[in-house]
Amino acid sequence: MSSSMSSSSSPSSTLFYLKHTPQSRHYPHPSSNSFPFYFTMRNLFRTEPEALSAIDFTGSFTDVWRQIRVSMVMPPLTAAIGVCAVMSLMMFVERVYMTVVVLLVKFLGKKKYTQYKLEALKEDLEQNRSYPMVLVQVPMYNEKEVYKLSIGAVCSLTWPSDRLIVQVLDDSTNEVLRALVELECKKWIQRGVNVKYETRNNRNGYKAGALREGLNKDYVFDCEFVVIFDADFQPDEDFLWRTVPYLLENPELALVQARWKFVNADECLMTRLQEMSLAYHFAVEQEVGSSTCQFFGFNGTAGVWRIRAIEDAGGWKDRTTVEDMDLAVRASLKGWKFVFVGDLEVKNELPSTFKAYRFQQHRWSCGPANLFRKMTKEIIFCERVSIWKKFHVIYAFFFVRKIIAHWVTFFFYCVIIPISIMVPEVHLPKLIAIYVPATVTILNSSCTLRSLHLLVFWILFENVMSFHRSKATIIGLLGANRVNEWVVTEKLGNATKPKSNLKPLKRSRSRFGERLHFSELVMGLFLLYVAIYDMLFGKDHMFVYLLLQSGAFFVIGVGYVGISVSN
């Protein structure tokens, strides 16, 4: 699947419980005539031994700790709150802007794809019978559970058989599986479908390398458009009829992107929560990019490209793990335009094991940050696009959605705010701590009304995942270890199996150690400690949120999320 999901992390709005004012704290605010820290310690150690018994050590050390808080902890913590407040407002403004644009587009009927007269284009195409040559690429790697589904779906596309080539790019390392995939291709060849089965002796460039080599085949030279489907995607038969005409109508159009439909969204709680995040990405982020700048990140699958645009942009590159986003940005800088077709859905599968989801989110977060690092200068000095488009790509598309959204969600709501509870001298504005995240969360969740009752679980889960996403963005920005790590998202194909055949959820003791995630457990302990501290000494009821968030870290820390499958 694509790395461009940006997957759009939401800051926690569980802070509705927050009533954070200095006056409500247990500790008094230090007076202006308090002794400096070193005077306190000097007087303590210069006291005569006979008088030590009369000293209130508890009070003395309380004063010392208060002086440490004021002189050493409060300044950096206040600065951190200020930085997080700025990031929160940046994300708030960007979310409100996108909401306004989407509402205007919807009520004014200005969606970009509705400006094309699709039915008239289809009729004209059928009358002239001037069908373009279309290539369908299906990259796969050890896709045992879903290879039949994907091959069967793309081979069933309705398009003149002499104008369609299905190219199965199999990088599988399992020789038995390779034989099965090739056998499936031969079965469709016998039915009259022009299927090309291509393999490589290496995985150089991963998916980008496979797609690049596929386009270099001799039989592809006559193809005008290329459609890409990941191995778990199952397009409807009329997919080409609902996408290719857009490209024929507008020669400046490079990409037509369809929406994803998740066939296993109800498989477990984790898949329901993923659906909430991705629904916002498609319904808002993609729609806004298509309607305003005619640019958005290619999702890596369920899209139709003009091959000439790919060549003009420099072809597929494997310099990051987000080859799809890389190609989209480069094509956009060449002046090509994109359109998102929001009413065209392609069925696919969400990762239902936490291990697969973690690897996917690392790639989707690390890759964009690394690409941002490598392309910022190129975007700034590009002369073929407007300043507005440059600003949209650098600020909104990359900086706010791919970096700021992850950082503010984790550092502010899981680190800075909990620490501030133990430093009562620090003032935490309610506007930033409560109202801004509440508004952002409501806007994000409004795209999946059927899961609105899961809002609290979604917030807590997204906060935990923001820990991994923040770490991945830092790795991407620094080009550190794991920056080019590529792990194919595991598919189970459970959505197409009868419920009676689904494997039950198993929690084997022998595999308990493999499921432990120590970083999540450490975060859970930290938040639990702060929650207990707030229960004993605080008066703002912040412990309610902290206990819930701590529980979420513990649940994920012991691997009790998603489904469990045997090796």
Side-chain angles (χ1 to χ4, degrees), residues 266-512:
D266 295 325
E267 189 169 9
C268 61
L269 179 60
M270 191 181 76
T271 54
R272 286 289 292 272
L273 301 181
Q274 290 179 65
E275 181 191 36
M276 294 180 70
S277 298
L278 292 174
Y280 179 83
H281 167 73
F282 286 106
V284 179
E285 292 179 348
Q286 298 289 79
E287 191 64 67
V288 169
S290 178
S291 301
T292 56
C293 298
Q294 298 188 63
F295 165 79
F296 47 82
F298 173 46
N299 297 136
T301 178
V304 186
W305 275 92
R306 190 185 301 273
I307 294 180
R308 186 161 59 89
I310 296 178
E311 296 171 348
D312 185 41
W316 290 102
K317 294 185 179 181
D318 55 9
R319 56 181 175 173
T320 69
T321 57
V322 285
E323 74 293 325
D324 42 18
M325 185 182 296
D326 189 352
L327 176 62
V329 174
R330 286 186 282 113
S332 178
L333 295 181
K334 290 291 184 178
W336 292 97
K337 299 177 180 179
F338 307 159
V339 66
F340 172 68
V341 184
D343 63 354
L344 176 58
E345 297 180 333
V346 180
K347 294 181 291 185
N348 73 294
E349 179 181 325
L350 289 165
S352 51
T353 66
F354 185 62
K355 179 181 178 181
Y357 186 59
R358 280 186 67 181
F359 280 126
Q360 181 201 68
Q361 292 302 298
H362 174 84
R363 189 172 76 249
W364 286 5
S365 303
C366 180
N370 191 237
L371 183 63
F372 176 63
R373 173 191 176 187
K374 293 181 177 180
M375 291 203 68
T376 300
K377 184 177 179 181
E378 182 179 348
I379 297 171
I380 292 175
F381 291 102
C382 178
E383 298 179 353
R384 297 189 61 174
V385 297
S386 64
I387 296 177
W388 160 244
K389 193 167 188 177
K390 293 179 185 180
F391 175 79
H392 172 78
V393 175
I394 293 176
Y395 175 79
F397 180 76
F398 274 116
F399 191 59
V400 176
R401 300 180 198 171
K402 311 300 181 186
I403 298 175
I404 293 299
H406 305 322
W407 285 3
V408 74
T409 303
F410 174 67
F411 289 112
F412 194 31
Y413 301 104
C414 297
V415 179
I416 301 301
I417 288 179
I419 291 178
S420 69
I421 291 175
M422 296 184 291
V423 185
E425 294 82 4
V426 174
H427 174 62
L428 189 63
K430 288 185 177 182
L431 174 66
I432 303 300
I434 303 177
Y435 305 118
V436 167
T439 304
V440 171
T441 301
I442 291 172
L443 295 177
N444 288 358
S445 61
S446 60
C447 298
T448 319
L449 296 179
R450 82 182 190 98
S451 299
L452 203 58
H453 62 289
L454 301 175
L455 183 61
V456 173
F457 293 101
W458 179 58
I459 293 168
L460 299 175
F461 181 72
E462 284 294 296
N463 284 354
V464 176
M465 292 309 303
S466 69
F467 169 62
H468 299 286
R469 294 169 183 148
S470 299
K471 181 172 63 175
T473 56
I474 294 173
I475 291 173
L477 290 173
L478 299 179
N481 189 27
R482 291 187 66 197
V483 68
N484 291 320
E485 178 185 72
W486 181 281
V487 179
V488 176
T489 305
E490 179 186 19
K491 293 95 176 178
L492 302 179
N494 284 346
T496 60
K497 299 176 182 178
K499 292 185 178 181
S500 58
N501 293 336
L502 290 180
K503 297 177 181 179
L505 189 65
K506 296 181 180 180
R507 305 287 172 184
S508 171
R509 290 185 178 180
S510 62
R511 299 184 60 200
F512 180 75

Side-chain angles (χ1 to χ4, degrees), residues 132-136 159 163-166 222-227 240 244 304:
M133 197 75 177
V134 178
L135 172 70
V136 181
W159 197 255
R163 309 301 293 171
L164 179 68
I165 301 175
V166 175
D222 293 332
C223 294
E224 190 173 350
F225 307 114
V226 57
V227 193
L240 296 179
V244 172
V304 186

